[in-house]
Amino acid sequence: PAIAAVSNPAKVIFMTRTGNEAVPGGVYNPKKMPYVVFANPSHEQFTSDCFALTKAFPKYKKIGILDCTLGKGIGWDYVDAALDKEGVRYHHEWFPVGIQDFAPYITRFAEAGCDIVYVAGWIGEAMAFAKQRWEMGYKDMRVGHSGPFITPLAYLGVCGKEAAQGFIGQYWANWDFKVTKVKRKYVKMCKEVMEILSEKQGKPFVYTGWIGWLPSHLLILSQAMEKAGTVDDTDAIMEAIRGGTFETTTGTWTMSGAKTYG
C-alpha cells in the first residue's frame, strides 16, 4: 500500500507479489490501484507446496502452517479454501515479530497432531523452529519453509547437523522441474547465470530463489510491452497484462482479468 500510494497516481506499473493485500492497514483495491500487478503468486505457490507435501508424505497426520502476525489477512482465506477443497488436514499458528522462543508453538503443533510444520517464508524463524523442536524431543516432526533454500551451511550452522537433516524448502532450479514445463531458452539462461555467479564467487552458487522471482516480473512486463507495442503507455501495457498469458522462468502464467491483476 505504501508504494502503491506513490506509484499509482504517477501511473507507474508496480510489479509485486500476492500477500501485499494482507498487510495490516491496507487492502488491495483494483479500482484504486489500477497499476499494481501481482507478478508472483505467493499464496498459490504455498498451496502447491502443501499439495506436494501430502504427495511426498501420504501418511502425514496434519500439516502445521506457521506465519508471522504481519502475514495475517485475506490471502490465507484463499489458501485455506484450496486446502479444504482437496481435503488437506492443517492447523494454523501465528507468531509475533521478533520472537525467538518457539517452544509454545512447537507444543501446540504437537498437541494438534502435526507431524509436518511448514513456515510461510521466514527462513531464520524456520531454522530456529527446527532447532528448538529437535531440542524438545520432537525429532520426527518434519520442518520446512516456503522460502528458497539459501546455502545449506546456514541450516547446518543454525540448526545443528542432526536437526537440519531433511529440512524442506523451495527449490527453483527449473532444469530439475518434474511437472511444470519451462521454455528451453529460459532454462539455458538460468543455468548460465548460475555458472557466472559460481565463477565470480569462486565456489558453487546454489541459491535458486532468484529464478522464481525477479525474472518473472521482468518477463511479464517486457512481453506486455511487446503485445501493447509501447514502453511508456502504461494503460495500454496494463490492458495487455489483464488476462494475458506469459512465458516465464517458472512456466506459463495466465493473468486474471479486471478483478485482480495477477
Side-chain angles (χ1 to χ4, degrees):
I3 296 174
V6 177
S7 60
N8 272 285
K11 295 183 69 173
V12 172
I13 295 175
F14 174 34
M15 311 293 281
T16 180
R17 63 181 180 87
T18 53
N20 298 66
E21 76 278 16
V23 176
V27 177
Y28 168 71
N29 184 316
K31 291 183 178 180
K32 293 181 179 180
M33 305 178 184
Y35 304 105
V36 171
V37 179
F38 292 135
N40 261 97
S42 303
H43 287 112
E44 290 87 343
Q45 289 167 351
F46 188 93
T47 304
S48 296
D49 287 352
C50 289
F51 291 155
L53 288 171
T54 62
K55 290 180 180 178
F57 308 107
K59 295 182 179 180
Y60 83 102
K61 296 176 183 177
K62 193 177 289 184
I63 296 175
I65 297 176
L66 181 62
D67 192 10
C68 178
T69 50
L70 284 177
K72 274 193 171 182
I74 60 172
W76 281 111
D77 295 338
Y78 298 126
V79 174
D80 293 349
L83 297 182
D84 289 338
K85 183 179 179 181
E86 297 299 322
V88 175
R89 301 178 296 278
Y90 61 91
H91 172 77
H92 276 287
E93 288 290 342
W94 309 89
F95 63 84
V97 179
I99 190 174
Q100 295 181 342
D101 180 14
F102 286 94
Y105 302 92
I106 295 168
T107 299
R108 286 201 286 271
F109 279 129
E111 290 175 345
C114 299
D115 46 1
I116 303 172
V117 174
Y118 199 56
V119 184
W122 303 101
I123 296 173
E125 285 79 358
M127 289 192 286
F129 186 100
K131 179 178 186 291
Q132 291 172 30
R133 71 76 160 90
W134 189 268
E135 293 171 344
M136 291 174 64
Y138 295 109
K139 298 183 177 181
D140 292 331
M141 181 184 286
R142 297 181 177 89
V143 180
H145 60 62
S146 61
F149 269 123
I150 53 177
T151 171
L153 293 176
Y155 300 89
L156 294 171
V158 174
C159 303
K161 185 176 181 181
E162 290 184 318
Q165 298 306 309
F167 197 96
I168 301 165
Q170 288 184 343
Y171 174 63
W172 288 101
N174 52 21
W175 51 89
D176 284 334
F177 283 5
K178 300 293 190 298
V179 178
T180 303
K181 296 186 183 300
V182 178
K183 278 195 171 182
R184 279 187 185 176
K185 66 177 181 179
Y186 295 139
V187 174
K188 182 174 181 289
M189 179 194 76
C190 292
K191 282 186 172 181
E192 288 176 349
V193 171
M194 298 293 283
E195 290 172 1
I196 291 170
L197 287 166
S198 295
E199 290 175 4
K200 285 184 175 291
Q201 290 191 352
K203 58 183 180 181
F205 183 77
V206 297
Y207 178 74
T208 60
W210 68 272
I211 297 174
W213 291 86
L214 182 60
S216 296
H217 295 204
L218 299 177
L219 287 167
I220 291 169
L221 184 60
S222 61
Q223 289 171 43
M225 288 175 173
E226 289 177 358
K227 292 176 181 179
T230 176
V231 298
D232 53 14
D233 185 343
T234 47
D235 288 311
I237 295 168
M238 285 301 303
E239 190 63 31
I241 289 175
R242 298 186 192 107
T245 297
F246 304 92
E247 299 287 348
T248 79
T249 51
T250 57
T252 303
W253 296 7
T254 297
M255 312 295 276
S256 67
K259 290 186 177 180
T260 55
Y261 312 145

